[in-house]
Amino acid sequence: MNDLINELQLKIEILENEISFKNGLISILSHDSKEMFGNILWLIEAVKEKTISEEDFFKLLPQLKYDAQKNLQTIQDSTAWLKTQYGEFKIKPEKIVVKDLFNYFEEKYDSKLKEKDITFHFKGDPNAFVTTDRLLLEYVLDKIINNAVKYSFSGNDIHLQEVTDDQQVIISVIDFGTGMNEKYLSEIFTYGTPLFLGTAGEKGVGLSLKIVKNFVSLMDGNIQIVSAENKGTKVSLVVRKFIE
């Protein structure tokens, strides 16, 4: 009887988390879209009615561009999540060499790494691999690496580290940037988490890490974060070596 009660409680908790996640996603999409399109309409009307000078108009364009980029990222993140919601989503396991993932992200982030003079290193067995869903894994690592770059100082290093044992593969992204206070770690995947500016003024939309946690769960994995203010952050993705 106790086992049945515990099972039901677990299912209820999972459902509550899913509902909270979806409600938060809808709230973010609704708020950000209204804010962006409201600003665009206001600016167009101001130019039309000549209540704003040409000089002020051009001063506002960088903020408008930022808002558009932020909303585009929100849409892209939401689209990635929606792909897992059609019908009964099942992951498609495939053998993925971890060093190949490093090469892929090193090329993808080449311009951002050069812009902040950051060196990207691989640590681990170059032949090590993980068997899981590529779409989910690449999304998760992309968001973790993006944050590592965002919160790293100019001239810092970032490591993609692989550690494999008999049961699991641990892929860690390690940076030596701003880090965060311990009090924020317990809230990092919630909608109440404060947004922090990157070392070059970058600002996230606060949605990506919520989807990351959801995707890691779909991969039957675990995510661990260790961080210290002004010392850096280590985010580790723990995935079973094989998925039956």
Side-chain angles (χ1 to χ4, degrees), residues 98 101 105 130 132-134 136-142 144 160-164 168-174 189 212-225 234-241:
V98 180
L101 289 170
F105 286 112
V130 60
T132 189
D133 188 280
R134 181 177 293 274
L136 300 182
L137 180 60
E138 287 187 354
Y139 179 92
V140 168
L141 286 177
D142 186 32
I144 296 172
L160 180 69
Q161 176 180 279
E162 168 278 327
V163 176
T164 302
Q168 61 192 17
V169 180
I170 303 174
I171 303 174
S172 301
V173 177
I174 306 166
F189 297 111
V212 160
K213 184 177 181 181
N214 187 271
F215 279 13
V216 171
S217 177
L218 289 173
M219 294 162 60
D220 195 23
N222 184 28
I223 188 167
Q224 302 167 352
I225 302 178
K234 178 179 180 179
V235 183
S236 298
L237 175 62
V238 183
V239 185
R240 286 193 300 166
K241 189 171 183 182

Side-chain angles (χ1 to χ4, degrees), residues 50-58:
K50 296 183 179 179
T51 58
I52 185 174
S53 68
E54 184 175 319
E55 182 181 358
D56 287 337
F57 169 77
F58 283 105

Side-chain angles (χ1 to χ4, degrees), residues 74-105:
T74 299
I75 292 170
Q76 289 174 334
D77 289 343
S78 302
T79 301
W81 174 76
L82 284 170
K83 288 179 181 178
T84 69
Q85 301 301 301
Y86 296 128
E88 186 177 349
F89 176 79
K90 293 182 179 180
I91 68 172
K92 300 176 181 177
E94 62 177 283
K95 182 178 177 180
I96 305 168
V97 178
V98 180
K99 183 62 162 56
D100 289 346
L101 289 170
F102 168 81
N103 294 336
Y104 167 74
F105 286 112

